[in-house]
């Protein structure tokens, strides 16, 4: 066991050199000075989000948002939270906060839940603007490296989420950190140490530092989920979600055909997007 006593949470890269009998740990630099980042803890107040065994998503989201705020402030970013207490902020107001502060980035923090328990673990990033695919890719890679859980990676938003539809050209990282309806993820999220939540947020930090400094984190290799996803359409909280094409374990994901860079959504899978501007219902968050 090797312990590094550091003055702050740092991004890092591990290199194994078996021929030289070496393991090299590189502590990576990164400066977010001048960047204004708005962090949005999803749900809040009368909207608890997902509730599993008494655990409310809104509380997880806020706790994780505080972690990420501290990490990014240590790297020089100006951080604005859409909420710091247990209150509900309308989706329109969240967008207004980000736009009004001329944010360089909008990070929405959520956690996943399905109608039935699921074997799928880990994070996913919903997006509707492929121009920022490298941003989503680096954040996904950062989370997977820190947690050791590949998750599902960047996934096209087929639901028409309000935040994504109204963000304009502002880059949005819409994170679903873990599956509360997966027994293993739930145990990780509720562990007293909060190490899993901490590592998810540290992975987001790693991804953002890589993106803004022009680095590439190591690609993620997707495990073979087998029959866990049968049709390519995963039912997320009662709405269909089109997943990228599944690839086998050990696949090289540097190419644009891999899961690390999702394919376009299959139009034949069907969509259940809410295209109106109505904020009714918390599912649309």
């Amino acid at each position: 066991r090797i312990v590094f006593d550091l003055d702050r949470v740092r991004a890092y890269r591990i290199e194994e050199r078996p021929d030289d009998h070496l393991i090299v740990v590189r502590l990576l630099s990164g400066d977010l000075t001048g960047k204004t980042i708005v962090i949005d803890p999803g749900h809040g107040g009368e909207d608890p989000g997902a509730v599993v065994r008494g655990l409310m998503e809104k509380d997880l989201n806020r706790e994780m948002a505080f972690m990420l705020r501290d990490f990014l402030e240590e790297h020089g970013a100006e951080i604005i939270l859409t909420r710091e207490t247990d209150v509900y902020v309308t989706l329109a107001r969240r967008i207004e906060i980000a736009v009004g502060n001329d944010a360089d980035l909008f990070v929405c923090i959520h956690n996943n839940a399905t109608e039935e328990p699921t074997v799928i673990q880990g994070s996913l990033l919903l997006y509707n603007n492929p121009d920022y695919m490298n941003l989503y890719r680096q954040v996904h890679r950062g989370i997977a490296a820190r947690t050791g859980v590949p998750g599902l990676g960047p996934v096209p938003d087929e639901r028409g989420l309000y935040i994504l539809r109204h963000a304009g050209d502002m880059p949005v990282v819409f994170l679903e950190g873990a599956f509360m309806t997966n027994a293993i993820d739930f145990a990780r999220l509720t562990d007293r140490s909060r190490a899993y939540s901490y590592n998810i947020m540290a992975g987001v930090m790693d991804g953002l530092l890589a993106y803004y400094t022009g680095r590439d984190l190591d690609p993620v290799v997707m495990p073979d989920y087998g029959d866990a996803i049968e049709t390519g359409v995963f039912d997320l909280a009662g709405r269909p979600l089109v997943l990228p094409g599944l690839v086998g374990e050990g696949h090289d994901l540097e190419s644009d055909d891999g899961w690390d860079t999702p394919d376009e959504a299959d139009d034949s899978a069907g969509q259940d997007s809410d295209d109106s501007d109505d904020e009714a219902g918390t599912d649309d968050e």
Side-chain angles (χ1 to χ4, degrees), residues 223-245:
D224 183 4
Y225 284 119
D227 295 331
I229 303 175
E230 296 178 355
T231 64
V233 178
F234 186 65
D235 193 55
L236 183 70
R239 291 185 168 193
L241 179 68
V242 180
L243 293 179

Side-chain angles (χ1 to χ4, degrees), residues 100-111:
N101 285 281
D102 197 22
D104 296 287
L105 179 68
F106 192 26
V107 180
C108 300
I109 299 176
H110 288 257
N111 282 277

Side-chain angles (χ1 to χ4, degrees), residues 52-181:
V52 179
R53 302 181 203 171
L55 178 66
M56 290 184 279
E57 181 196 348
K58 65 176 183 177
D59 296 329
L60 279 176
N61 298 342
R62 184 161 61 108
E63 183 178 77
M64 293 166 74
F66 288 152
M67 293 177 185
L68 183 61
R69 175 197 62 187
D70 293 346
F71 294 163
L72 299 184
E73 283 183 341
E74 288 177 350
H75 288 277
E78 178 185 354
I79 303 299
I80 299 167
L81 273 72
T82 58
R83 68 178 183 95
E84 297 190 32
T85 58
D86 185 20
V87 297
Y88 179 72
V89 180
T90 67
L91 303 182
R93 176 58 183 155
R94 296 173 201 235
I95 288 289
E96 185 179 283
I97 291 170
V99 172
N101 285 281
D102 197 22
D104 296 287
L105 179 68
F106 192 26
V107 180
C108 300
I109 299 176
H110 288 257
N111 282 277
N112 246 328
T114 53
E115 289 189 322
E116 300 294 334
T118 177
V119 299
I120 305 299
Q121 304 173 28
S123 66
L124 66 84
L125 296 153
L126 291 165
Y127 73 93
N128 68 351
N129 189 344
D131 290 344
Y132 294 109
M133 182 56 67
N134 190 44
L135 169 62
Y136 316 136
R137 183 188 296 118
Q138 299 307 324
V139 171
H140 167 221
R141 292 176 178 182
I143 295 171
R146 287 274 187 173
T147 63
V149 183
L152 293 172
V155 175
D157 171 35
E158 292 297 310
R159 297 179 291 166
L161 294 175
Y162 184 95
I163 292 291
L164 294 180
R165 285 189 287 119
H166 291 81
D169 294 331
M170 178 173 52
V172 178
V173 171
F174 196 105
L175 172 69
E176 298 278 2
F179 279 88
M180 296 171 64
T181 44

